[in-house]
mmCIF file of all heavy atoms in Angstrom:
data_model
loop_
_atom_site.group_PDB
_atom_site.id
_atom_site.type_symbol
_atom_site.label_atom_id
_atom_site.label_comp_id
_atom_site.label_asym_id
_atom_site.label_seq_id
_atom_site.Cartn_x
_atom_site.Cartn_y
_atom_site.Cartn_z
ATOM 1 N N GLN A 539 32.392 -52.385 -116.164
ATOM 2 C CA GLN A 539 32.365 -51.867 -114.804
ATOM 3 C C GLN A 539 30.990 -52.133 -114.223
ATOM 4 O O GLN A 539 29.975 -51.860 -114.871
ATOM 5 C CB GLN A 539 32.648 -50.367 -114.826
ATOM 6 C CG GLN A 539 32.968 -49.792 -113.463
ATOM 7 C CD GLN A 539 33.544 -48.386 -113.570
ATOM 8 O OE1 GLN A 539 33.336 -47.692 -114.552
ATOM 9 N NE2 GLN A 539 34.270 -47.957 -112.549
ATOM 10 N N GLY A 540 30.953 -52.697 -113.035
ATOM 11 C CA GLY A 540 29.665 -53.000 -112.405
ATOM 12 C C GLY A 540 28.976 -51.740 -111.927
ATOM 13 O O GLY A 540 29.566 -50.662 -111.904
ATOM 14 N N ASP A 541 27.704 -51.887 -111.539
ATOM 15 C CA ASP A 541 26.946 -50.742 -111.045
ATOM 16 C C ASP A 541 27.620 -50.116 -109.831
ATOM 17 O O ASP A 541 27.442 -48.931 -109.546
ATOM 18 C CB ASP A 541 25.524 -51.184 -110.655
ATOM 19 C CG ASP A 541 24.744 -51.628 -111.889
ATOM 20 O OD1 ASP A 541 25.110 -51.196 -113.006
ATOM 21 O OD2 ASP A 541 23.790 -52.406 -111.738
ATOM 22 N N ASP A 542 28.364 -50.940 -109.106
ATOM 23 C CA ASP A 542 29.036 -50.440 -107.912
ATOM 24 C C ASP A 542 30.438 -49.900 -108.214
ATOM 25 O O ASP A 542 31.213 -49.614 -107.324
ATOM 26 C CB ASP A 542 29.122 -51.556 -106.871
ATOM 27 C CG ASP A 542 29.769 -52.824 -107.432
ATOM 28 O OD1 ASP A 542 30.209 -52.801 -108.600
ATOM 29 O OD2 ASP A 542 29.823 -53.828 -106.713
ATOM 30 N N GLY A 543 30.749 -49.797 -109.509
ATOM 31 C CA GLY A 543 32.037 -49.235 -109.896
ATOM 32 C C GLY A 543 33.173 -50.230 -109.921
ATOM 33 O O GLY A 543 34.296 -49.879 -110.266
ATOM 34 N N LYS A 544 32.880 -51.480 -109.555
ATOM 35 C CA LYS A 544 33.948 -52.482 -109.541
ATOM 36 C C LYS A 544 34.141 -53.078 -110.933
ATOM 37 O O LYS A 544 33.189 -53.180 -111.710
ATOM 38 C CB LYS A 544 33.617 -53.570 -108.525
ATOM 39 C CG LYS A 544 33.671 -53.057 -107.098
ATOM 40 C CD LYS A 544 33.320 -54.159 -106.125
ATOM 41 C CE LYS A 544 33.354 -53.637 -104.689
ATOM 42 N NZ LYS A 544 32.771 -54.609 -103.758
ATOM 43 N N TRP A 545 35.355 -53.510 -111.200
ATOM 44 C CA TRP A 545 35.668 -54.071 -112.516
ATOM 45 C C TRP A 545 35.237 -55.516 -112.597
ATOM 46 O O TRP A 545 35.406 -56.288 -111.660
ATOM 47 C CB TRP A 545 37.166 -53.947 -112.813
ATOM 48 C CG TRP A 545 37.603 -52.521 -112.830
ATOM 49 C CD1 TRP A 545 38.453 -51.926 -111.948
ATOM 50 C CD2 TRP A 545 37.186 -51.496 -113.749
ATOM 51 N NE1 TRP A 545 38.592 -50.588 -112.250
ATOM 52 C CE2 TRP A 545 37.832 -50.295 -113.347
ATOM 53 C CE3 TRP A 545 36.335 -51.469 -114.848
ATOM 54 C CZ2 TRP A 545 37.645 -49.089 -114.020
ATOM 55 C CZ3 TRP A 545 36.145 -50.271 -115.515
ATOM 56 C CH2 TRP A 545 36.795 -49.101 -115.110
ATOM 57 N N GLN A 546 34.726 -55.864 -113.752
ATOM 58 C CA GLN A 546 34.263 -57.243 -113.914
ATOM 59 C C GLN A 546 34.375 -57.701 -115.350
ATOM 60 O O GLN A 546 34.616 -56.910 -116.269
ATOM 61 C CB GLN A 546 32.825 -57.373 -113.409
ATOM 62 C CG GLN A 546 31.831 -56.443 -114.109
ATOM 63 C CD GLN A 546 30.484 -56.382 -113.400
ATOM 64 O OE1 GLN A 546 30.406 -56.475 -112.181
ATOM 65 N NE2 GLN A 546 29.430 -56.247 -114.175
ATOM 66 N N PHE A 547 34.236 -58.995 -115.520
ATOM 67 C CA PHE A 547 34.194 -59.618 -116.847
ATOM 68 C C PHE A 547 32.780 -60.085 -117.123
ATOM 69 O O PHE A 547 32.126 -60.616 -116.227
ATOM 70 C CB PHE A 547 35.075 -60.876 -116.892
ATOM 71 C CG PHE A 547 36.543 -60.633 -117.063
ATOM 72 C CD1 PHE A 547 37.439 -61.674 -116.836
ATOM 73 C CD2 PHE A 547 37.042 -59.418 -117.483
ATOM 74 C CE1 PHE A 547 38.794 -61.489 -117.007
ATOM 75 C CE2 PHE A 547 38.400 -59.229 -117.659
ATOM 76 C CZ PHE A 547 39.281 -60.268 -117.415
ATOM 77 N N GLU A 548 32.349 -59.893 -118.346
ATOM 78 C CA GLU A 548 31.119 -60.541 -118.797
ATOM 79 C C GLU A 548 31.577 -61.655 -119.725
ATOM 80 O O GLU A 548 32.217 -61.385 -120.736
ATOM 81 C CB GLU A 548 30.240 -59.575 -119.607
ATOM 82 C CG GLU A 548 30.055 -58.205 -119.001
ATOM 83 C CD GLU A 548 28.923 -58.168 -117.989
ATOM 84 O OE1 GLU A 548 28.242 -59.194 -117.845
ATOM 85 O OE2 GLU A 548 28.737 -57.115 -117.349
ATOM 86 N N LEU A 549 31.246 -62.860 -119.379
ATOM 87 C CA LEU A 549 31.727 -63.998 -120.156
ATOM 88 C C LEU A 549 30.546 -64.788 -120.709
ATOM 89 O O LEU A 549 29.659 -65.191 -119.973
ATOM 90 C CB LEU A 549 32.598 -64.898 -119.271
ATOM 91 C CG LEU A 549 33.204 -66.146 -119.913
ATOM 92 C CD1 LEU A 549 34.127 -65.787 -121.062
ATOM 93 C CD2 LEU A 549 33.955 -66.967 -118.876
ATOM 94 N N GLU A 550 30.557 -64.964 -122.022
ATOM 95 C CA GLU A 550 29.508 -65.772 -122.654
ATOM 96 C C GLU A 550 30.151 -66.962 -123.323
ATOM 97 O O GLU A 550 31.134 -66.823 -124.059
ATOM 98 C CB GLU A 550 28.768 -64.955 -123.718
ATOM 99 C CG GLU A 550 27.812 -63.955 -123.133
ATOM 100 C CD GLU A 550 27.250 -63.035 -124.199
ATOM 101 O OE1 GLU A 550 27.024 -63.494 -125.341
ATOM 102 O OE2 GLU A 550 27.061 -61.853 -123.883
ATOM 103 N N LEU A 551 29.570 -68.131 -123.096
ATOM 104 C CA LEU A 551 30.143 -69.363 -123.643
ATOM 105 C C LEU A 551 29.057 -70.186 -124.292
ATOM 106 O O LEU A 551 27.932 -70.239 -123.799
ATOM 107 C CB LEU A 551 30.751 -70.198 -122.507
ATOM 108 C CG LEU A 551 31.839 -69.540 -121.674
ATOM 109 C CD1 LEU A 551 32.141 -70.379 -120.453
ATOM 110 C CD2 LEU A 551 33.088 -69.365 -122.507
ATOM 111 N N SER A 552 29.412 -70.849 -125.371
ATOM 112 C CA SER A 552 28.463 -71.797 -125.937
ATOM 113 C C SER A 552 29.200 -72.936 -126.617
ATOM 114 O O SER A 552 30.342 -72.789 -127.047
ATOM 115 C CB SER A 552 27.519 -71.104 -126.921
ATOM 116 O OG SER A 552 28.265 -70.543 -127.980
ATOM 117 N N GLY A 553 28.535 -74.056 -126.668
ATOM 118 C CA GLY A 553 29.127 -75.240 -127.273
ATOM 119 C C GLY A 553 28.322 -76.460 -126.879
ATOM 120 O O GLY A 553 27.217 -76.330 -126.333
ATOM 121 N N THR A 554 28.858 -77.618 -127.159
ATOM 122 C CA THR A 554 28.196 -78.868 -126.794
ATOM 123 C C THR A 554 29.237 -79.844 -126.272
ATOM 124 O O THR A 554 30.281 -80.023 -126.896
ATOM 125 C CB THR A 554 27.500 -79.503 -128.018
ATOM 126 O OG1 THR A 554 26.528 -78.584 -128.510
ATOM 127 C CG2 THR A 554 26.799 -80.798 -127.652
ATOM 128 N N LEU A 555 28.954 -80.416 -125.134
ATOM 129 C CA LEU A 555 29.818 -81.493 -124.638
ATOM 130 C C LEU A 555 29.079 -82.809 -124.780
ATOM 131 O O LEU A 555 27.857 -82.857 -124.712
ATOM 132 C CB LEU A 555 30.147 -81.284 -123.148
ATOM 133 C CG LEU A 555 30.954 -80.059 -122.733
ATOM 134 C CD1 LEU A 555 31.306 -80.171 -121.259
ATOM 135 C CD2 LEU A 555 32.204 -79.900 -123.556
ATOM 136 N N ARG A 556 29.853 -83.863 -124.981
ATOM 137 C CA ARG A 556 29.247 -85.194 -125.033
ATOM 138 C C ARG A 556 29.546 -85.885 -123.710
ATOM 139 O O ARG A 556 30.677 -86.213 -123.415
ATOM 140 C CB ARG A 556 29.812 -85.995 -126.199
ATOM 141 C CG ARG A 556 29.710 -85.240 -127.509
ATOM 142 C CD ARG A 556 29.223 -86.125 -128.642
ATOM 143 N NE ARG A 556 28.405 -85.365 -129.549
ATOM 144 C CZ ARG A 556 27.074 -85.520 -129.676
ATOM 145 N NH1 ARG A 556 26.453 -86.442 -128.985
ATOM 146 N NH2 ARG A 556 26.397 -84.786 -130.509
ATOM 147 N N LEU A 557 28.504 -86.064 -122.928
ATOM 148 C CA LEU A 557 28.654 -86.651 -121.597
ATOM 149 C C LEU A 557 28.067 -88.043 -121.590
ATOM 150 O O LEU A 557 27.470 -88.486 -122.570
ATOM 151 C CB LEU A 557 27.926 -85.784 -120.567
ATOM 152 C CG LEU A 557 28.309 -84.298 -120.541
ATOM 153 C CD1 LEU A 557 27.403 -83.549 -119.584
ATOM 154 C CD2 LEU A 557 29.763 -84.106 -120.167
ATOM 155 N N VAL A 558 28.213 -88.738 -120.469
ATOM 156 C CA VAL A 558 27.617 -90.059 -120.334
ATOM 157 C C VAL A 558 26.425 -89.939 -119.397
ATOM 158 O O VAL A 558 26.552 -89.492 -118.259
ATOM 159 C CB VAL A 558 28.635 -91.081 -119.773
ATOM 160 C CG1 VAL A 558 27.966 -92.432 -119.565
ATOM 161 C CG2 VAL A 558 29.824 -91.202 -120.703
ATOM 162 N N CYS A 559 25.269 -90.330 -119.906
ATOM 163 C CA CYS A 559 24.053 -90.312 -119.092
ATOM 164 C C CYS A 559 24.232 -91.311 -117.948
ATOM 165 O O CYS A 559 24.593 -92.459 -118.159
ATOM 166 C CB CYS A 559 22.853 -90.696 -119.959
ATOM 167 S SG CYS A 559 21.369 -91.068 -119.013
ATOM 168 N N GLN A 560 23.976 -90.842 -116.731
ATOM 169 C CA GLN A 560 24.209 -91.697 -115.570
ATOM 170 C C GLN A 560 23.045 -92.647 -115.297
ATOM 171 O O GLN A 560 23.088 -93.434 -114.375
ATOM 172 C CB GLN A 560 24.480 -90.834 -114.335
ATOM 173 C CG GLN A 560 25.767 -90.045 -114.448
ATOM 174 C CD GLN A 560 26.981 -90.918 -114.733
ATOM 175 O OE1 GLN A 560 27.333 -91.776 -113.936
ATOM 176 N NE2 GLN A 560 27.597 -90.730 -115.900
ATOM 177 N N ARG A 561 22.029 -92.571 -116.119
ATOM 178 C CA ARG A 561 20.916 -93.493 -115.935
ATOM 179 C C ARG A 561 21.045 -94.672 -116.889
ATOM 180 O O ARG A 561 20.976 -95.810 -116.487
ATOM 181 C CB ARG A 561 19.590 -92.757 -116.156
ATOM 182 C CG ARG A 561 18.373 -93.551 -115.759
ATOM 183 C CD ARG A 561 17.191 -92.650 -115.465
ATOM 184 N NE ARG A 561 17.060 -91.567 -116.444
ATOM 185 C CZ ARG A 561 16.338 -90.486 -116.234
ATOM 186 N NH1 ARG A 561 15.675 -90.323 -115.113
ATOM 187 N NH2 ARG A 561 16.259 -89.555 -117.153
ATOM 188 N N CYS A 562 21.304 -94.379 -118.166
ATOM 189 C CA CYS A 562 21.369 -95.483 -119.127
ATOM 190 C C CYS A 562 22.805 -95.724 -119.611
ATOM 191 O O CYS A 562 23.040 -96.644 -120.374
ATOM 192 C CB CYS A 562 20.437 -95.227 -120.310
ATOM 193 S SG CYS A 562 20.990 -93.873 -121.366
ATOM 194 N N LEU A 563 23.728 -94.903 -119.149
ATOM 195 C CA LEU A 563 25.149 -95.072 -119.463
ATOM 196 C C LEU A 563 25.493 -94.994 -120.948
ATOM 197 O O LEU A 563 26.469 -95.572 -121.392
ATOM 198 C CB LEU A 563 25.697 -96.378 -118.860
ATOM 199 C CG LEU A 563 25.556 -96.486 -117.334
ATOM 200 C CD1 LEU A 563 26.038 -97.843 -116.848
ATOM 201 C CD2 LEU A 563 26.301 -95.370 -116.630
ATOM 202 N N THR A 564 24.678 -94.317 -121.701
ATOM 203 C CA THR A 564 25.050 -94.061 -123.089
ATOM 204 C C THR A 564 25.348 -92.557 -123.230
ATOM 205 O O THR A 564 25.094 -91.772 -122.319
ATOM 206 C CB THR A 564 23.938 -94.470 -124.088
ATOM 207 O OG1 THR A 564 22.787 -93.664 -123.851
ATOM 208 C CG2 THR A 564 23.568 -95.930 -123.932
ATOM 209 N N GLU A 565 25.863 -92.239 -124.393
ATOM 210 C CA GLU A 565 26.275 -90.861 -124.620
ATOM 211 C C GLU A 565 25.070 -89.921 -124.700
ATOM 212 O O GLU A 565 24.022 -90.292 -125.188
ATOM 213 C CB GLU A 565 27.043 -90.813 -125.939
ATOM 214 C CG GLU A 565 27.666 -89.471 -126.224
ATOM 215 C CD GLU A 565 28.360 -89.492 -127.573
ATOM 216 O OE1 GLU A 565 27.676 -89.447 -128.610
ATOM 217 O OE2 GLU A 565 29.593 -89.556 -127.594
ATOM 218 N N MET A 566 25.257 -88.745 -124.214
ATOM 219 C CA MET A 566 24.223 -87.728 -124.381
ATOM 220 C C MET A 566 24.891 -86.391 -124.684
ATOM 221 O O MET A 566 25.986 -86.104 -124.226
ATOM 222 C CB MET A 566 23.385 -87.594 -123.115
ATOM 223 C CG MET A 566 24.186 -87.195 -121.893
ATOM 224 S SD MET A 566 23.148 -86.819 -120.463
ATOM 225 C CE MET A 566 22.702 -85.116 -120.781
ATOM 226 N N ALA A 567 24.221 -85.614 -125.504
ATOM 227 C CA ALA A 567 24.756 -84.293 -125.825
ATOM 228 C C ALA A 567 24.303 -83.320 -124.753
ATOM 229 O O ALA A 567 23.153 -83.367 -124.300
ATOM 230 C CB ALA A 567 24.243 -83.850 -127.189
ATOM 231 N N TRP A 568 25.186 -82.484 -124.327
ATOM 232 C CA TRP A 568 24.836 -81.416 -123.377
ATOM 233 C C TRP A 568 25.186 -80.075 -124.012
ATOM 234 O O TRP A 568 26.304 -79.586 -123.913
ATOM 235 C CB TRP A 568 25.582 -81.603 -122.058
ATOM 236 C CG TRP A 568 25.259 -80.551 -121.033
ATOM 237 C CD1 TRP A 568 24.057 -80.354 -120.437
ATOM 238 C CD2 TRP A 568 26.145 -79.546 -120.505
ATOM 239 N NE1 TRP A 568 24.147 -79.277 -119.565
ATOM 240 C CE2 TRP A 568 25.420 -78.772 -119.587
ATOM 241 C CE3 TRP A 568 27.482 -79.241 -120.725
ATOM 242 C CZ2 TRP A 568 25.958 -77.698 -118.898
ATOM 243 C CZ3 TRP A 568 28.042 -78.171 -120.035
ATOM 244 C CH2 TRP A 568 27.282 -77.412 -119.119
ATOM 245 N N PRO A 569 24.226 -79.513 -124.750
ATOM 246 C CA PRO A 569 24.495 -78.196 -125.336
ATOM 247 C C PRO A 569 24.396 -77.147 -124.242
ATOM 248 O O PRO A 569 23.528 -77.230 -123.386
ATOM 249 C CB PRO A 569 23.369 -78.023 -126.366
ATOM 250 C CG PRO A 569 22.339 -79.045 -126.039
ATOM 251 C CD PRO A 569 22.860 -79.984 -125.013
ATOM 252 N N PHE A 570 25.289 -76.182 -124.262
ATOM 253 C CA PHE A 570 25.226 -75.162 -123.220
ATOM 254 C C PHE A 570 25.391 -73.765 -123.789
ATOM 255 O O PHE A 570 26.033 -73.560 -124.817
ATOM 256 C CB PHE A 570 26.294 -75.416 -122.148
ATOM 257 C CG PHE A 570 27.707 -75.406 -122.681
ATOM 258 C CD1 PHE A 570 28.444 -74.225 -122.732
ATOM 259 C CD2 PHE A 570 28.288 -76.563 -123.128
ATOM 260 C CE1 PHE A 570 29.750 -74.213 -123.228
ATOM 261 C CE2 PHE A 570 29.587 -76.560 -123.634
ATOM 262 C CZ PHE A 570 30.318 -75.396 -123.683
ATOM 263 N N GLU A 571 24.764 -72.867 -123.114
ATOM 264 C CA GLU A 571 24.927 -71.434 -123.375
ATOM 265 C C GLU A 571 24.988 -70.785 -122.013
ATOM 266 O O GLU A 571 24.016 -70.803 -121.275
ATOM 267 C CB GLU A 571 23.734 -70.887 -124.167
ATOM 268 C CG GLU A 571 23.958 -70.950 -125.645
ATOM 269 C CD GLU A 571 22.826 -70.315 -126.425
ATOM 270 O OE1 GLU A 571 22.447 -69.178 -126.102
ATOM 271 O OE2 GLU A 571 22.329 -70.977 -127.349
ATOM 272 N N LEU A 572 26.140 -70.276 -121.689
ATOM 273 C CA LEU A 572 26.328 -69.734 -120.350
ATOM 274 C C LEU A 572 26.668 -68.257 -120.437
ATOM 275 O O LEU A 572 27.369 -67.829 -121.344
ATOM 276 C CB LEU A 572 27.481 -70.452 -119.644
ATOM 277 C CG LEU A 572 27.440 -71.980 -119.604
ATOM 278 C CD1 LEU A 572 28.753 -72.524 -119.089
ATOM 279 C CD2 LEU A 572 26.298 -72.441 -118.724
ATOM 280 N N ALA A 573 26.182 -67.513 -119.504
ATOM 281 C CA ALA A 573 26.548 -66.106 -119.412
ATOM 282 C C ALA A 573 26.843 -65.826 -117.950
ATOM 283 O O ALA A 573 26.006 -66.074 -117.087
ATOM 284 C CB ALA A 573 25.412 -65.223 -119.909
#
Side-chain angles (χ1 to χ4, degrees):
Q539 194 167 23
D541 294 337
D542 54 4
K544 292 179 181 169
W545 299 114
Q546 58 192 34
F547 280 167
E548 314 275 355
L549 180 61
E550 285 172 35
L551 302 169
S552 61
T554 300
L555 296 188
R556 307 224 146 250
L557 306 174
V558 177
C559 167
Q560 294 305 298
R561 190 157 43 197
C562 69
L563 301 176
T564 64
E565 187 182 75
M566 60 172 277
W568 181 65
F570 60 90
E571 269 184 50
L572 308 170

